[in-house]
Structure formats: structure tokens, C-alpha cells
Amino acid sequence: MKQLLVIGIGAGNPDYITMQAVKALNRVDVFFLMDKGPRKDKLIDLRREICAQYISDDRDYRFVEAHSPERERDAVDYTASVDHLNRARQRTFQRLINDELSDGQCGGFLVWGDPALYDSTVRILQAILASGACAFEFQVIPGITSVQALAAQHKLPLNTIGRSIEITTGRRLAAGQVSNTDSLVVMLDAEDAYQRVADAQTEIYWGAYLGTPDEILISGRLADVADEIERVRKAARAEHGWIMDTYLLRKP
């Protein structure tokens, strides 16, 4: 039986790798790397660096790269575009598992952050199993998320005492999502949705490229720092060709 490991590799710092992940890395025969184009080569390079750092010298393994399908960014129906993307990724995963992994071997997907938070790898593997297109067993190894890294770098707890925390997307915030929570974590914000928060006294704790040498941190009242964050985000995206950022909004 083929084995697959979905390994959370943390938010960007190789030191975020857990001991469970290290043990998992040393079981893998074939690592599947999804190539998202030259602008995101750093994401591939980090995965290779992690393997070189933590896999024993006497361990034989190889990398197989495949083009990662992209979501149609201008699609009117967001949910349909995501479904279309995941079907395309499912076909890619099926090909990799069938063609590049022999029976009895172990394959590995190195997932940024944690496989359970805003990542579709587990969902896609479950869909492949349900379709009967491949036969394999898989295990999920948790990782440190950008949310945890953000809180650590800003030296704050995610929740206030006795209160709840909510995690949402920039798309939902931009669409006017109303939340009664005191602490709102926002991910995948491509639209500077924090600019639309009505209460300018709300505190924001923002971070980009968390855990990497390119890390940027800004915090303060929205009224004071929202324009700075927008300017810094724009400059960082222009410099690197991409940006991954996360922020926490906290009511005063």
C-alpha cells in the first residue's frame, strides 16, 4: 500500500518544524512540490532547505515538481472557481501518486503552515480516495500556523480573558461581515479589507512573510496605521511579486 504524509512545515521559519514533522520527513521517499511560478520560487526553496536540514544524510529521497493550477482571480462565482481549482489539483495529485510513487513507498506533501487551516490538500486527498482513482493511506502532521506566528511576534495572546476568537478571510470582511467577537483574525486579504472597519479605534496587529527573513510587522490603532499598512503591503508585493500576510483585529 502506498503511504502519504501531509506535513505542516510552519509559517516560514525552519525552526518552526516540530519533532513529529522531523520524524515524518525521514519517512518520505518522494516529496511532491507544487510549483506556483518563478515569483514564488522562495516557497519551493524553503521546502528543499527544510529537507536538507532535517533529513538524515543516509536517507535517500527525491523531489518531484508539478505545476500548481491557479484559481481564476476574476471569477464572478468564487465558490465555483475554488471547486474548479480543486478538481484541477485533484487530477494533478492523482497523476503524481499513480506515476511517481511505487507500492510500499511513502510520498510527502509539505504544506505551508498547518494542513487544517486554509489549505485543501487533505480535502483533495479525501476526494481522490472517494473516487477510487488511487489506493493509499495518509496521515496528517500538524504545523505552526501564521496565526500563531503572528501572535508570537507581536507578543500577545490571541484571545482576551473569557472571550472568543474568530478566524475569517479578507474576502468576507470586505463583503461586510459582521462579527461580535473581540478578537478577529483575518487571512487571505487581497483587498486591504481592514480599511473598511468602521471603528477606527480598533487595534490591528499585522504581519507579512511571518517567520522569514522578509518579515514585516506593524501594529497600532487602525486610525493611525491603516494607511501605512496599505503602503507597505503594496511596496512588498511589488518587490517580491507576492505577499502572504495575516492580521488580528481587536476591539478597544
Side-chain angles (χ1 to χ4, degrees), residues 65-126:
E65 292 192 29
H67 171 70
S68 180
E70 291 289 326
R71 182 176 66 81
E72 185 181 351
R73 297 295 173 180
D74 298 327
V76 176
D77 189 332
Y78 172 74
T79 302
S81 70
V82 172
D83 288 342
H84 178 76
L85 167 64
N86 284 339
R87 285 195 297 271
R89 294 182 69 195
Q90 182 176 334
R91 290 190 294 270
T92 300
F93 283 18
Q94 287 175 190
R95 177 180 59 79
L96 292 172
I97 296 167
N98 282 327
D99 296 350
E100 301 291 348
L101 198 63
S102 301
D103 192 46
Q105 284 192 314
C106 181
F109 290 93
L110 304 182
V111 174
W112 199 266
D114 181 89
L117 186 61
Y118 289 114
D119 183 84
S120 293
T121 303
V122 171
R123 187 179 295 110
I124 291 170
L125 292 180
Q126 289 173 335

Side-chain angles (χ1 to χ4, degrees), residues 145-234:
T145 68
S146 61
V147 178
Q148 295 163 281
L150 177 78
Q153 295 302 80
H154 280 290
K155 302 180 179 67
L156 52 83
L158 285 171
N159 68 299
T160 53
I161 296 175
R163 306 297 294 175
S164 63
I165 180 173
E166 182 176 345
I167 300 177
T168 189
T169 64
R171 177 181 295 275
R172 291 182 61 85
L173 187 65
Q177 173 185 348
V178 177
S179 175
N180 293 322
T181 188
D182 295 281
S183 302
L184 182 67
V185 174
V186 182
M187 305 180 69
L188 307 175
D189 182 5
E191 304 177 42
D192 298 302
Y194 52 86
Q195 292 278 22
R196 308 183 194 187
V197 175
D199 187 354
Q201 300 305 309
T202 296
E203 297 280 340
I204 184 170
Y205 300 88
W206 176 84
Y209 311 108
L210 290 159
T212 75
D214 299 318
E215 182 177 270
I216 313 169
L217 300 171
I218 298 175
S219 64
R221 294 188 312 158
L222 274 173
D224 299 328
V225 302
D227 289 344
E228 178 188 1
I229 292 173
E230 184 173 1
R231 175 181 56 77
V232 170
R233 284 187 84 246
K234 183 177 181 180

